[in-house]
Amino acid sequence: SVSKTRNMDTGFEMASVFTTRVGFPSAYTDTVAQRLFFEQLAERVAALPGVQAATVASGLPGAQQGLNGDRFSLESATYATDQDRPRTRWVSVTPGFFRTLDIPLKQGRLFESSDRLGALPVAVVTERFVEQHLGGGDALGKRFRLGGAESTEPWVTIVGVVPNVFGGDPQEAFPAVAFRPFEQAHANFAYIVARTVGGTSPMVLADPVRGVVASLNAD
């Protein structure tokens, strides 16, 4: 099983990729400051020498932690009970996520800097999401909302489709996933992800990244 996992096509780049997790305790409730922290963190890590691309994400492909699962409603469907609503995994990412992990665009567009709080709520979904929840049809422009019948979450418009990526569970290797802009789907904890240039060992980024984090918030 380990051998097969090591040799499978995960759908994302693993070589020369540095990851670490950082965040705020639940008692820290200033979400405006947190959003600013993570936005600046992604920008400053991307500007470090030797970094080809960088992003911040609430969860990572291949890692169960941070990949939230929730029931959701499709705008075009009706449900007798909340238990009848489908489930999907979702993760919050900054615009550089797909470039950093070399995940190509299949349809529509990826996230842009304009996909912020207050703008149209959007999502990029995997092909499995389209197959499983939309019958394999055209996903662009379709809307869904996380939660049950009493949900106050906004309706989210699908603007892009990407290939399936390994979710970390060999029993369900390529689950349906919806990606949300980090600005629009806040998380207290997130992963810093950076890809180095020219095959440079990703661990050379450990100290510089630690320095960036400390410079933004010493606590």
Side-chain angles (χ1 to χ4, degrees), residues 55-60 91-94 97 182 189-193:
T55 186
V56 166
S58 64
L60 294 180
V91 58
S92 306
V93 303
T94 58
F97 178 82
F182 202 93
F189 272 79
Y191 290 91
I192 306 166
V193 189

Side-chain angles (χ1 to χ4, degrees), residues 4-201:
K4 287 181 178 179
T5 301
R6 287 178 61 86
N7 289 287
M8 73 185 299
D9 181 4
T10 61
F12 61 93
E13 179 62 54
M14 292 185 290
S16 302
V17 174
F18 169 88
T19 69
T20 190
R21 195 164 178 261
V22 65
F24 298 84
S26 57
Y28 190 91
T29 57
D30 188 344
T31 56
V32 174
Q34 290 182 42
R35 283 190 173 93
L36 181 60
F37 169 84
F38 284 119
E39 180 180 6
Q40 293 179 336
L41 180 60
E43 293 173 352
R44 294 195 189 183
V45 171
L48 288 174
V51 172
Q52 183 174 353
T55 186
V56 166
S58 64
L60 294 180
Q64 296 291 310
Q65 189 174 39
L67 283 177
N68 301 293
D70 205 349
R71 292 194 183 276
F72 71 99
S73 305
L74 291 168
E75 188 178 33
S76 58
T78 57
Y79 309 94
T81 68
D82 279 351
Q83 284 66 40
D84 295 323
R85 300 173 196 276
R87 286 185 177 274
T88 190
R89 297 186 186 186
W90 64 273
V91 58
S92 306
V93 303
T94 58
F97 178 82
F98 302 99
R99 176 171 175 248
T100 302
L101 292 176
D102 199 21
I103 300 174
L105 176 67
K106 301 290 287 188
Q107 190 180 8
R109 70 170 178 88
L110 299 176
F111 297 141
E112 301 167 353
S113 59
S114 58
D115 294 318
R116 308 181 67 84
L117 191 66
L120 176 72
V122 295
V124 170
V125 300
T126 61
E127 291 178 307
R128 180 59 53 85
F129 184 101
V130 178
E131 296 165 4
Q132 189 171 322
H133 301 306
L134 300 173
D138 186 10
L140 300 184
K142 297 292 194 304
R143 301 206 305 170
F144 66 90
R145 179 168 65 187
L146 293 174
E150 305 301 320
S151 174
T152 58
E153 292 292 318
W155 287 100
V156 177
T157 301
I158 297 172
V159 296
V161 179
V162 295
N164 298 321
V165 293
F166 179 53
D169 182 359
Q171 307 253 1
E172 188 187 9
F174 297 96
V177 180
F179 299 94
R180 297 287 313 284
F182 202 93
E183 273 280 315
Q184 296 182 353
H186 172 70
N188 276 24
F189 272 79
Y191 290 91
I192 306 166
V193 189
R195 181 148 55 103
T196 57
V197 297
T200 304
S201 170

